Amino acid sequence: MASVLLAVFVNGKICKDPNMVSADDFFFPGLNKPGNTSNAQGSKVTPVNVNQLPGLNTLGISLVRIDYAPYGLNPPHTHPRATEVLVVVEGTLFVGFVTSNPADPNVKNKLFTKTLYPGDVFVFPEGLIHFQFNVGKTDAFVFAGLSSQNPGVITIANAVFGSDPPINLDVLTKAFQVDANVIKYLQAPFM
C-alpha cells in the first residue's frame, strides 16, 4: 500500500514536512543591519514573521526591527491580529495609540502618547491605531515583539487614500467632513 503524505494547514500556513525541516527554518540573519530609510516616511520596517521565518508557524510570535531617519515616521497603522511590545534601542521617539469606538457614545476616542528613550518599552494593544515618530536629530531604531506569527498590518493613509480603485469621493468627504478638494489633495500622493 502506498503511503500518502497529507499537508497540515495551521494558522494560514502549511506545516512543512518534518523530514524536510532544517535549522535554516528557524534562522533569520541580518537584524543588526539598519534598514533603508530613504523614503517619504523616513522609516523602514524589517519584519521577521512566519513569511520570513517558517519556524515561527504555530508559535504565535514574531518581531520587527524599525529604523527611523531623523524625524522619520512609522505612520498610523494597526495590527489586526497582534499586540505589539516595542523597545527603543537608539534615539528618541514620540509614540502613541488611540482607542476606537468607545461603547458610550458620549465618550471620545482617547489618545495615549509617550516620549521614549533608549531602554524604554511601550505596548500597543491589538487592533488599535498606533504610530512612532523620531523626534530626535539622529537616527533611531527599535525592536518590537508581536503576539502573532502573522500580525498583519494596515497602514491607515495607504488604505483610505491609496486604494485602487479609489474610495468614492462622496464617501470620504462625508466620513472626514471636509471639502472634496481636501480629499483629492490627500489622495494625490498615492495615485
Side-chain angles (χ1 to χ4, degrees), residues 142-157:
V142 304
F143 289 111
L146 296 115
S147 64
S148 171
Q149 67 191 22
N150 190 12
V153 64
I154 301 167
T155 305
I156 307 309

Side-chain angles (χ1 to χ4, degrees), residues 134-146:
N134 181 3
V135 294
K137 296 178 182 177
T138 61
D139 291 343
F141 84 92
V142 304
F143 289 111
L146 296 115

